[in-house]
Amino acid sequence: MSPRPFHHGNLRAVLLDEAVGVLRESGVDGLSLRDLARRAGVSHGAPRSHFVDRQALLDALAEAGFERLTTAVRRALDSGGGRTERLHRVARAYVDFAVDDAALMELMFQVKATTTPESVHEAAATLFATLDGALGSTAPEAADDESRDHFKMLFAATMQGIAALVASGRIERPLGDRLVGTAMDTMLDSELGRRVVTVR
């Protein structure tokens, strides 16, 4: 494997890109700063100028993962159409990310409240704030914050469950796509969905 070229100052980005590739190939267990240095064509100690240890690398990957997923969700929302159509696109974007980067998704949701850097929690909060915005405004009497949070967590759990079935090979991707549509229709037509997503 030939080293990837990079300009001075963007080694951190190169290392993160390489780390995502390793995650896709061999999961979290395959990650090491020494191997990333070899892949990037730099000295063994160079990555430590950006990541003091392996955990710092994992935290940075989780943060970048939340940012990438937020970008995908925003792109789905910006494509036009009614709210139901946009929420369906958000769901597909969420599952696509979770299937294509299953190890990264698992890493992102393994964050610990007490030991994970604040920047990772902020990136996660931005994702869920974006999902909250996707639900649209609701009348004050229609839904409380707890109901909206319940819907968002149900959405994440359902989509990640479908993605896990696809990523593990238990079901084919086309069936996963159909399940995403069915799940969204079911959630939106539920009592909780009607209370939370009042603007279609």
Side-chain angles (χ1 to χ4, degrees):
M1 178 185 297
S2 60
R4 291 180 55 184
F6 62 89
H7 299 288
H8 179 72
N10 75 337
L11 176 58
R12 185 179 189 276
V14 170
L15 292 170
L16 286 174
D17 284 346
E18 292 289 356
V20 169
V22 173
L23 280 175
R24 289 172 177 165
E25 294 168 9
S26 52
V28 173
D29 291 342
L31 280 174
S32 76
L33 292 175
R34 178 178 290 270
D35 180 59
L36 290 181
R38 179 186 62 77
R39 286 170 173 259
V42 297
S43 68
H44 292 161
R48 294 191 181 276
S49 63
H50 299 283
F51 311 109
V52 296
D53 56 22
R54 185 172 180 274
Q55 186 57 53
L57 170 66
L58 296 180
D59 291 338
L61 280 169
E63 180 180 352
F66 279 117
E67 291 171 351
R68 281 179 48 205
L69 182 51
T70 300
T71 297
V73 169
R74 286 173 173 161
R75 188 178 298 119
L77 289 171
D78 290 342
S79 299
R83 188 163 308 280
T84 297
E85 181 183 351
R86 281 181 286 161
L87 284 170
H88 273 266
R89 282 202 306 270
V90 166
R92 288 194 296 271
Y94 195 103
V95 171
D96 284 344
F97 180 94
V99 170
D100 295 336
D101 282 297
L104 177 57
M105 192 70 154
E106 182 178 358
L107 174 65
M108 289 158 54
F109 283 88
Q110 286 177 342
V111 296
K112 297 179 175 60
T114 56
T115 60
T116 304
E118 185 61 29
S119 59
V120 180
H121 291 293
E122 289 174 356
T126 299
L127 169 63
F128 279 91
T130 303
L131 290 173
D132 187 80
L135 301 179
S137 58
T138 55
E141 69 278 6
D144 53 41
D145 289 341
E146 184 177 357
S147 295
R148 290 176 75 92
D149 288 343
H150 188 182
F151 188 91
K152 287 181 289 182
M153 293 306 296
L154 179 62
F155 170 88
T158 302
M159 298 310 151
Q160 285 173 223
I162 295 171
L165 290 173
V166 176
S168 67
R170 295 289 299 277
I171 63 174
E172 297 293 331
R173 198 151 187 168
L175 175 56
D177 291 340
R178 293 197 298 274
L179 288 176
V180 168
T182 301
M184 281 306 301
D185 286 339
T186 301
M187 290 172 61
L188 292 171
D189 288 339
S190 68
E191 187 275 334
L192 176 64
R194 290 193 297 272
R195 190 165 72 247
V196 171
V197 190
T198 59
V199 179
R200 300 299 175 98

